[in-house]
Amino acid sequence: MNPAVISLELRDLRFTYSGTNAFSLTGVNIRMRPGQIVAVLGPNGSGKTTILKLANGRLTPKGGEILLEGKPLHDYSRREIGQRIGFVPQSEKISFDYTVLEYVSMGRAPWLHPLEQPTADDIAISKQAIADVGMAAFAHSLVTRLSGGQAQLVLLARALAQQTSVLLLDEASSQLDLANKKRFLDILSQLAANGKTILFTTHEPDVAAAIAQKAILMQNGAVAFAGPLNEVYTAQNLEQVYGTPIQLVEIDGRKVVLWT
Amino acid sequence: MIKNNRLTLTILLGIFLICLILSFLIGRYPEVGFIQLKSLENDPIGQRVFYSLRVPRVILGALLGMALGTSGLVFQTVFNNPLVGSGMLGVTQGASLGAAIGIVFFNGNPWIVQFLAIGLGTSALFLSVFSARRIHYGGWTLRLVLSGSVISALFGAGISLLKYQADARNQLHAIEFWLMGGLGYTTWRGLPIVIVIVILSLIYLWKVRWRVNLLALDHETASSLGIQIQKERLMALAAAVFAVSAATSLSGIVGWIGLIVPHLARRLLGANTSDSLPASMLIGGILVLVCDNGMRTLSAVEIPLGIITSFIGVIVFILLMGARKT
């Protein structure tokens, strides 16, 4: 993997939701290389999720541009984007009793023609993705019966089955217990080590500190601080963004946030 | 699991084909029971009964059931809501109003009745979805059901108005027959175009049967999976509405099949629409054929099909809803 290559770049993005002046996003710049993990943090309503929606082409920026592997995002078809950028939502409501395997197989959609069924290969890839998130024992369980944390692992597995080079995660580890959170973060680190580009939002600074190399602190729709995690993560910066007193403690070289 | 499903589908196909063949043979001519095809050779009345009445009726019945079952599954999946059926989104009432307009103002011309039934059925669906987006109460499921019943009431009022206006000797009877729903008056008149529309729609839906799964997902995730979600939802809904409205334009309202058949199919084969869609098609066909055969054979006075399916549908629905989540 050539480190000089930029896999995903958000250049000077501007965005406002039509019909409202209540929120606007301005001057967002993010450059990501293959294998990099970038965390987006900030209070509720600061624009984290909007960035992800822009990055996967769901929303169209009002200004600036998004480059995927050096080409403008709007030059790709929806399906081509689906083959390159995976998305893991925080949760998803589904009313039907799909098995975990059936559900994860849906991740193969961008690789299948609209009239095609998943092949044996697609099923094998999906099974592997389920095993990768440690849910192999649940492959034939119903998704409607899973706990919130298990469901988040399944959503990650679906994005893994999608086999994209970029992965976007929207507070995707929010409901995991400690052991599963560690597993989740280990998986992300492993994916990055294999060259995947990962951009994720989180409400937990510790999660970001555990795996990200870069961090972006958002405040009121603008980037307040951005850069290597160690530089961005200071008690002062976090206090400014979150508006609450914060202490940073370093334990075994890892930064831990304490609020008082 | 997958192997079992293939077996179940094969069995369903077998039952469907047996029902289809028996439907052609069973009836009240020349007496209650099976007709002897050989005896038809020297029996011009028998030939007329068979070719002009029974054959088109069985064809329409099979198509109607398949269309209702399949569309029901598509509706439920697209709206990510197991409680919707074409009856609950205003489609049925819309198609009925279209048919009533055709009967009252266009002398029941089958082309116009079909055109209006499809057109107003589709409009009703979009009105329901449109107004559901504007209800600020409850979740999406409740909103759809609420707005569907409001739109149904609106079209229902239109139907009442037409009935009030209608000529009591011919038109009123035709409208009433339509609202009760039945295959008793089926002839070849208007049938060929219905066959074409229903079969084309069903072929399309059968081809995209796996893809239908994805239409249940959130807009956000579905499009991240490379799907042009709005376009594909629209195409699937259009195919479903066309199939139902076309068949219904000849048969009148046959309720509840579209609601309960997908539940039965999912119960038998699981949620994956690769399997539950063909199963809904077959079970729908079987159910309508069995009900209709029963109605036209068991009693000399024919009870309209729509009444029987409502009775059966309500009972099955209550049983299925009660059995959920156990």
Side-chain angles (χ1 to χ4, degrees):
Chain A
M1 201 61 71
N2 181 355
V5 173
I6 303 294
S7 60
L8 183 67
E9 178 170 3
L10 312 185
R11 202 183 272 171
D12 230 0
L13 281 193
R14 278 190 299 108
F15 182 78
T16 48
Y17 286 97
S18 51
T20 169
N21 297 320
F23 175 82
S24 67
L25 195 71
T26 46
V28 177
N29 284 288
I30 304 174
R31 294 180 104 195
M32 301 184 64
R33 295 176 209 292
Q36 250 181 357
I37 303 183
V38 178
V40 182
L41 292 114
N44 298 76
S46 60
K48 302 186 296 293
T49 301
T50 307
I51 290 182
L52 294 190
K53 287 184 180 177
L54 288 164
N56 78 0
R58 250 291 270 143
L59 296 175
T60 310
K62 299 273 154 73
E65 64 178 343
I66 300 162
L67 300 172
L68 177 61
E69 292 159 11
K71 245 172 62 176
L73 191 67
H74 54 74
D75 284 359
Y76 292 89
S77 70
R78 190 65 256 171
R79 186 168 171 208
E80 288 168 335
I81 295 176
Q83 291 170 348
R84 289 166 176 80
I85 303 180
F87 173 71
V88 186
Q90 183 177 12
S91 64
E92 190 165 82
K93 185 189 171 298
I94 193 87
S95 311
F96 303 105
D97 288 333
Y98 286 107
T99 67
V100 167
L101 180 57
E102 286 166 345
Y103 201 59
V104 169
S105 310
M106 294 187 202
R108 298 303 298 159
W111 302 98
L112 293 167
H113 186 271
L115 304 184
E116 266 182 322
Q117 307 267 324
T119 62
D121 279 351
D122 294 311
I123 299 298
I125 291 167
S126 307
K127 279 187 176 158
Q128 185 58 48
I130 294 167
D132 287 345
V133 300
M135 290 285 288
F138 293 88
H140 296 286
S141 306
L142 301 178
V143 285
T144 43
R145 307 275 168 87
L146 298 177
S147 70
Q150 290 169 331
Q152 287 195 316
L153 290 170
V154 168
L155 289 171
L156 175 64
R158 188 179 64 190
L160 295 185
Q162 209 175 333
Q163 295 187 316
T164 56
S165 55
V166 178
L167 200 55
L168 309 174
L169 302 100
D170 194 10
E171 286 163 42
S173 61
S174 60
Q175 293 182 51
L176 298 171
D177 62 37
L178 276 182
N180 277 329
K181 190 160 290 186
K182 178 172 161 34
R183 176 199 290 277
F184 195 94
L185 299 181
D186 286 347
I187 294 168
L188 292 189
S189 299
Q190 188 56 47
L191 291 169
N194 293 334
K196 208 171 276 232
T197 311
I198 296 171
L199 179 66
F200 72 100
T201 70
T202 178
H203 278 301
E204 300 168 286
D206 297 340
V207 164
I211 57 167
Q213 288 100 46
K214 272 172 138 182
I216 293 163
L217 297 186
M218 303 287 298
Q219 193 178 13
N220 301 326
V223 175
F225 305 97
L229 189 100
N230 281 331
E231 293 171 19
V232 171
Y233 255 45
T234 65
Q236 203 183 3
N237 290 352
L238 291 169
E239 274 181 7
Q240 184 195 316
V241 169
Y242 287 102
T244 188
I246 280 171
Q247 266 191 325
L248 264 186
V249 189
E250 206 165 311
I251 301 171
D252 293 340
R254 202 164 108 193
K255 289 186 172 178
V256 179
V257 171
L258 296 178
W259 41 270
T260 46
Chain B
M1 183 89 179
I2 287 165
K3 244 187 188 155
N4 282 342
N5 276 359
R6 192 157 297 166
L7 180 67
T8 312
L9 278 174
T10 312
I11 294 172
L12 283 174
L13 180 64
I15 297 175
F16 174 74
L17 291 175
I18 291 170
C19 279
L20 193 63
I21 293 166
L22 287 181
S23 303
F24 283 119
L25 299 179
I26 206 167
R28 295 182 73 83
Y29 185 90
E31 59 215 13
V32 179
F34 292 98
I35 200 167
Q36 297 293 324
L37 284 179
K38 260 194 188 148
S39 72
L40 280 182
E41 282 171 23
N42 300 315
D43 179 1
I45 299 176
Q47 287 179 6
R48 276 194 58 193
V49 168
F50 188 75
Y51 293 111
S52 311
L53 297 176
R54 194 175 296 170
V55 170
R57 177 175 189 155
V58 170
I59 292 176
L60 181 62
L63 290 177
L64 175 71
M66 291 165 91
L68 287 170
T70 313
S71 321
L73 185 84
V74 171
F75 281 130
Q76 293 179 3
T77 311
V78 167
F79 293 112
N80 189 15
N81 183 342
L83 286 180
V84 304
S86 52
M88 294 199 176
L89 292 171
V91 176
T92 319
Q93 292 289 338
S96 305
L97 179 62
I101 293 174
I103 291 166
V104 172
F105 296 111
F106 298 97
N107 213 12
N109 177 322
W111 287 88
I112 295 177
V113 168
Q114 270 161 36
F115 176 78
L116 287 172
I118 293 177
L120 286 187
T122 314
S123 322
L125 173 70
F126 286 108
L127 269 177
S128 293
V129 175
F130 179 79
S131 71
R133 292 223 171 102
R134 263 145 199 81
I135 295 175
H136 296 285
Y137 176 77
W140 181 235
T141 304
L142 182 59
R143 282 190 230 170
L144 265 180
V145 173
L146 280 177
S147 111
S149 59
V150 169
I151 298 299
S152 289
L154 176 71
F155 282 86
I159 296 167
S160 298
L161 185 67
L162 283 174
K163 276 164 73 177
Y164 186 70
Q165 290 276 316
D167 154 22
R169 265 181 311 154
N170 302 316
Q171 297 174 341
L172 191 59
H173 175 76
I175 296 176
E176 282 300 346
F177 152 76
W178 218 88
L179 295 177
M180 277 188 257
L183 301 170
Y185 293 86
T186 313
T187 60
W188 284 105
R189 195 167 177 242
L191 187 58
I193 181 73
V194 168
I195 295 176
V196 172
I197 294 176
V198 173
I199 287 184
L200 286 181
S201 304
L202 292 183
I203 288 178
Y204 172 74
L205 291 172
W206 185 76
K207 284 277 187 191
V208 296
R209 63 195 183 281
W210 182 73
R211 199 83 167 173
V212 169
N213 283 316
L214 304 162
L215 306 182
L217 300 176
D218 289 352
H219 197 128
E220 197 69 41
T221 33
S223 66
S224 80
L225 292 172
I227 299 155
Q228 290 179 289
I229 183 75
Q230 238 140 357
K231 186 181 134 202
E232 294 198 20
R233 276 188 182 150
L234 201 69
M235 286 173 66
L237 283 180
V241 172
F242 279 15
V244 167
S245 312
T248 308
S249 74
L250 291 183
S251 68
I253 300 176
V254 175
W256 291 90
I257 301 271
L259 187 62
I260 58 162
V261 164
H263 283 273
L264 291 170
R266 282 191 295 262
R267 188 55 70 89
L268 276 175
L269 293 113
N272 189 350
T273 53
S274 286
D275 297 331
S276 60
L277 188 141
S280 295
M281 209 180 277
L282 295 170
I283 296 174
I286 294 168
L287 211 57
V288 168
L289 286 177
V290 168
C291 288
D292 188 52
N293 290 344
M295 287 309 93
R296 71 186 161 87
T297 309
L298 296 180
S299 121
V301 182
E302 201 181 311
I303 303 169
L305 180 64
I307 296 174
I308 296 307
T309 59
S310 294
F311 273 125
I312 296 177
V314 171
I315 293 165
V316 174
F317 186 72
I318 290 170
L319 290 177
L320 282 172
M321 283 293 114
R324 234 180 102 82
K325 305 273 179 204
T326 46

